[in-house]
Amino acid sequence: MPKPLSFEGLHKTCRDTSKPYLHTKDVHRTEVPDEKVPWSASFPDYKPKDYTDPKSKGKDWADPDIDDSDFHPKWNSIDGKIDRKSHIGEYDIVDGRPQNPLGRTGLKGRGTLGKWGPNHAADPIVTRWKRDDNDKKVTSEASGKPILQFVAILRGDVKQWAIPGGMVDPGEAVSATLRREFSEEAANSIKKTPEQRKELEKSIETLFQHGTEVYKGYVDDPRNTDNSWMETVAVNFHDENDSTVGGLELEAGDDASDVHWKDIASEMELYASHVSMLKTVGELHNAHW
Ligand code: BGC
């Protein structure tokens, strides 16, 4: 089995200064040169904007303002139902705020994320082999290896293809998030009749019994700030013989606006760090990349 990848190098997506911060017109990140990303590098002129999406304030999924006198978060711990632990170790609290463990991003505050510190997501990578009309595996001419396909959704927010992942709800087990997000986004379970939903749940239940974790850690997500960041657990569920969801009718739902089985190949362009997660999945099955 290939080594699960870890986030290496510098974050790039969450330092992008070419466009304003998500859902804003005039919130710009401060430019952070590569060598100034680590907090250990001296950067006395670093005075990034402090931005927390006003629309998130008071929402049940969002933390209060950091200096709210009634807000007493237990950093680096399970805080009631909220998991404030990072997958990558203890993070520092500087001037009362959690500090992005991967360094500077050019923006302070909570941005559009819900939690100060780590925000946890889960990504189900559902795969099958690409087959021809005679059910034979299709092989790539370039690599001579069979082509793997995964269930991809078109994210409604950023209009980019992605793994149908989502946020772990407070108190929810990651295994439940993986199943729920896949059912909601790729099989539109919310809109199914109770009978259809039962059938669907049976297929998903069977497939999701055996998963292989391919990534656990920090994600270079466009929403990240100096004080709030995304982390995920990505798990591969492989349907070797099309016996569970391999033959399932996909239907986009919830936050997804389209869904299909996408060939896994190095030239794919996907959301956040999803390409590197799929590379690990390709290696795991010795598939074309
Ligand atoms: C997405 C996941 C993604 C994570 C980190 C979540 O909102 O649903 O697919 O891996 O953010 O970028």
Side-chain angles (χ1 to χ4, degrees):
M1 198 186 114
K3 193 164 88 33
L5 58 135
S6 62
F7 186 83
E8 279 159 14
L10 298 172
H11 44 222
K12 290 211 161 45
T13 313
C14 63
R15 261 193 306 149
D16 182 6
T17 52
S18 70
K19 43 186 184 299
Y21 183 76
L22 243 77
H23 312 311
T24 74
K25 286 201 177 70
D26 53 4
V27 177
H28 292 276
R29 292 181 186 270
T30 299
E31 184 105 31
V32 182
D34 286 0
E35 68 279 11
K36 301 285 189 200
V37 171
W39 293 106
S40 54
S42 158
F43 194 178
D45 292 339
Y46 183 62
K47 298 210 172 47
K49 201 174 165 81
D50 194 348
Y51 176 73
T52 297
D53 185 354
K55 287 198 292 298
S56 70
K57 293 192 182 181
K59 291 275 169 26
D60 55 0
W61 47 267
D63 279 339
D65 279 344
I66 201 80
D67 44 15
D68 186 319
S69 53
D70 292 331
F71 185 40
H72 306 290
K74 295 194 183 79
W75 305 124
N76 288 300
S77 314
I78 302 286
D79 182 9
K81 285 195 160 180
I82 302 170
D83 183 2
R84 298 194 193 274
K85 281 175 28 187
S86 164
H87 292 312
I88 57 174
E90 289 236 335
Y91 50 88
D92 293 330
I93 307 301
V94 179
D95 297 331
R97 294 178 179 214
Q99 190 176 63
N100 187 320
L102 268 292
R104 298 182 174 99
T105 66
L107 192 69
K108 276 167 65 166
R110 185 158 57 67
T112 59
L113 290 172
K115 305 284 180 278
W116 297 97
N119 287 254
H120 292 289
D123 283 296
I125 307 177
V126 172
T127 52
R128 71 174 185 191
W129 294 109
K130 183 173 189 168
R131 292 178 190 272
D132 64 16
D133 293 343
N134 301 317
D135 244 10
K136 260 190 72 188
K137 286 186 191 171
V138 177
T139 301
S140 151
E141 279 181 20
S143 65
K145 289 183 174 180
I147 299 173
L148 208 55
Q149 296 184 313
F150 83 106
V151 174
I153 54 132
L154 186 64
R155 285 181 67 108
D157 56 353
V158 285
K159 306 277 177 286
Q160 266 183 308
W161 286 93
I163 300 162
M167 309 301 286
V168 179
D169 284 344
E172 187 180 46
V174 166
S175 55
T177 314
L178 291 163
R179 221 169 306 167
R180 179 177 56 71
E181 288 293 340
F182 184 78
S183 318
E184 289 177 2
E185 295 192 343
N188 202 8
S189 65
I190 297 170
K191 294 278 164 62
K192 296 259 188 285
T193 65
E195 293 79 51
Q196 286 172 322
R197 200 174 309 151
K198 232 193 205 146
E199 259 319 281
L200 179 71
E201 270 163 17
K202 229 168 59 197
S203 305
I204 295 178
E205 188 78 48
T206 313
L207 179 71
F208 277 50
Q209 265 165 18
H210 305 286
T212 307
E213 194 176 285
V214 289
Y215 185 71
K216 188 180 197 171
Y218 183 91
V219 186
D220 182 21
D221 185 281
R223 295 165 289 190
N224 294 354
T225 69
D226 288 358
N227 311 118
S228 293
W229 61 91
M230 286 302 311
E231 299 195 7
T232 199
V233 179
V235 183
N236 175 218
F237 301 98
H238 179 61
D239 187 3
E240 179 64 25
N241 306 308
D242 283 3
S243 54
T244 54
V245 299
L248 196 81
E249 207 177 306
L250 301 173
E251 183 183 342
D254 202 31
D255 303 331
S257 48
D258 198 359
V259 61
H260 67 208
W261 289 96
K262 216 178 181 39
D263 294 358
I264 296 186
S266 53
E267 56 274 9
M268 291 181 296
E269 283 186 25
L270 301 173
Y271 183 73
S273 313
H274 290 181
V275 170
S276 23
M277 295 173 194
L278 287 160
K279 181 166 191 249
T280 310
V281 171
E283 287 167 10
L284 182 68
H285 298 286
N286 197 19
H288 167 68
W289 174 245

